[in-house]
Amino acid sequence: MRETTPRKIIEMKGKEPIVMVTAYDYPSALIADRAGMDIIFVGDSLGMVVYGEPNTLNVSMEQMVFHTRAVSKAVKRALVLADMPFGSYEIDPEEGVRNAVKLIQAGADAVKIEGGYDHRKLVKKLVRMGIPVMGHTGLTPQRYLRLGGYRLMGEAEEEIEEILRDAKALERAGAFAVVIEFTLADVAKLVTEEVSIPTIGIGAGPYVDGQVLVWHDLLGIYENIPPFVKKYADIGSMIQLALENYREDVKGLQFPGREHYWEYLDKNDFERKKRRVLERLEEEGP
Ligand code: KIV
C-alpha cells in the first residue's frame, strides 16, 4: 500500500493544500512522485496530450489500463488515481464496476468518474466494494458536446445548482474528493464550504482544497494551453533544442566524440582476427 491514502487526502482538507498532477508513463510518474505530489493522476486527457486526439471521447479502457500499469510501477508515495474513460461506466453500471476493478488491478489506488449526481449509485457500490472514488464536476470534458465546448461554468443559476448537487451527491455516496474544473471561483468556493470532502480545482481559482494540472500543460510541452494554466517550464523548447543540437552534431560529424566509442588498442590483434573471420565466412559460402 502506498503512503498516501484516500483517508490522508480527506484529512488534508482545511489543513494543507492538496497537489495533484497527471502522469501517463513510468518516467514521468517517477519524477512526479519524487517531486512530492500528493496524487498522481492517469487522466483520460492522455487521449489529447499523448495520442493527439481532438477530445477525450475516444479513450479506451485498454489505454487506461496500459498507462495505469506503467504509472503504478513508478509510484511509491503518492496516491495513484486512474480515470474511467467515456462510455466505460455510464451505459451499464455493472460494466462500470468491472472496469473500475480493472484499473485497481492495474495498480491504481482509486478511480475518478466525471459527474456526480447521475452516478451516485455506482459511486456507492464501488465504495462499498472497497474502491475509493473521486468525482468531477463543473466542466466535465466527456460531456463537452452537451456543454457546448470547453467553457467556463457556473454563471447560470442552473449550473451552480448542478455543480453543487453533484458535489453533495458524491459526498453522500462516499467519494473521497471531487475535482471542480473551469468554474467561476465563487462557485468553487461555495462547493468547498458546502461539502466535507476535499475539492480539487483546475481553472477554478484559489478557494478550493487543492489544485490539479495536466503534465504537458504545466511543463510547456505544447504551445497552446488552457488560459488557467501556469507554465512552470518550457520543456518543449528544451527538447527541440537538444534534438537540433544532436542533428547538427551528426550531420557535422561531431557525434560520436572520442569519449563515446571504443577501439582496439592493438590494431595487429584486430587485423589477425579480421582475417580469420573473413576466411571462415568465405569458406562457409553464401
Ligand atoms: O483527464 C484529466 O486530466 C482530468 C483533469 C483535467 C482533472 O480530468
Side-chain angles (χ1 to χ4, degrees):
M1 186 172 215
R2 296 186 179 91
E3 244 175 71
T4 313
T5 60
R7 179 179 287 272
K8 234 177 180 171
I9 297 295
I10 292 173
E11 285 167 359
M12 288 168 82
K13 184 174 173 97
K15 292 196 192 103
E16 180 189 341
I18 297 157
V19 59
M20 167 165 150
V21 70
T22 68
Y24 314 102
D25 57 26
Y26 182 85
S28 36
L30 205 64
I31 297 168
D33 203 30
R34 273 197 225 130
M37 296 296 119
D38 295 310
I39 302 175
I40 297 179
F41 173 42
V42 190
D44 67 352
S45 48
L46 68 82
M48 298 169 82
V49 296
V50 176
Y51 289 96
E53 297 276 353
N55 54 56
T56 57
L57 303 186
N58 287 320
V59 175
S60 67
M61 265 311 292
E62 286 71 23
Q63 283 173 310
M64 292 310 303
V65 166
F66 196 77
H67 287 272
T68 299
R69 190 161 288 134
V71 165
S72 79
K73 283 187 184 140
V75 180
K76 302 262 177 303
R77 209 195 40 77
L79 182 136
V80 174
L81 176 71
D83 228 353
M84 303 278 289
F86 180 60
S88 71
Y89 57 99
E90 310 90 322
I91 305 162
D92 173 7
E94 288 305 313
E95 200 189 350
V97 172
R98 273 193 294 275
N99 284 328
V101 168
K102 284 183 194 165
L103 293 173
I104 296 296
Q105 287 175 339
D109 302 307
V111 299
K112 181 171 85 54
I113 57 149
E114 286 192 13
Y117 182 79
D118 293 347
H119 306 303
R120 59 197 188 281
K121 286 197 182 121
L122 172 65
V123 175
K124 215 178 218 170
K125 166 101 179 156
L126 292 174
V127 172
R128 245 194 256 125
M129 280 175 65
I131 298 180
V133 183
M134 186 183 288
H136 184 154
T137 188
L139 169 62
T140 43
Q142 292 176 10
R143 295 189 231 180
Y144 89 101
L145 290 171
R146 192 201 90 195
L147 299 176
Y150 298 104
R151 63 170 179 86
L152 185 64
M153 304 289 296
E155 208 161 338
E157 201 171 309
E158 313 83 73
E159 283 177 10
I160 303 173
E161 191 172 327
E162 191 176 333
I163 291 165
L164 192 55
R165 184 181 291 120
D166 274 347
K168 281 181 175 286
L170 286 162
E171 178 189 34
R172 270 197 298 274
F176 73 97
V178 55
V179 165
I180 305 175
E181 181 164 353
F182 208 17
T183 65
L184 289 153
D186 313 70
V187 178
K189 182 170 187 276
L190 171 70
V191 175
T192 303
E193 288 165 354
E194 286 290 320
V195 296
S196 60
I197 55 174
T199 56
I200 300 179
I202 175 162
Y207 315 115
V208 284
D209 299 305
Q211 299 289 333
V212 54
L213 283 177
V214 168
W215 179 270
H216 294 64
D217 293 345
L218 86 97
L219 291 177
I221 309 278
Y222 297 120
E223 274 168 22
N224 286 337
I225 53 170
F228 49 75
V229 172
K230 180 171 173 183
K231 211 163 123 175
Y232 285 87
D234 201 359
I235 301 294
S237 304
M238 284 174 70
I239 294 172
Q240 188 175 327
L241 184 64
L243 291 172
E244 282 168 1
N245 288 339
Y246 167 51
R247 180 184 176 278
E248 287 295 298
D249 276 2
V250 172
K251 299 280 185 191
L253 304 178
Q254 298 300 306
F255 176 80
R258 188 59 201 90
E259 67 277 29
H260 300 122
Y261 65 93
W262 293 263
E263 280 185 325
Y264 267 92
L265 292 177
D266 182 350
K267 295 293 181 198
N268 290 332
D269 177 33
F270 178 65
E271 282 306 316
R272 281 192 297 275
K273 285 175 179 161
K274 183 174 99 181
R275 217 176 310 118
R276 286 199 297 270
V277 168
L278 290 173
E279 277 167 15
R280 276 202 301 277
L281 290 181
E282 181 103 339
E283 275 165 25
E284 265 179 30

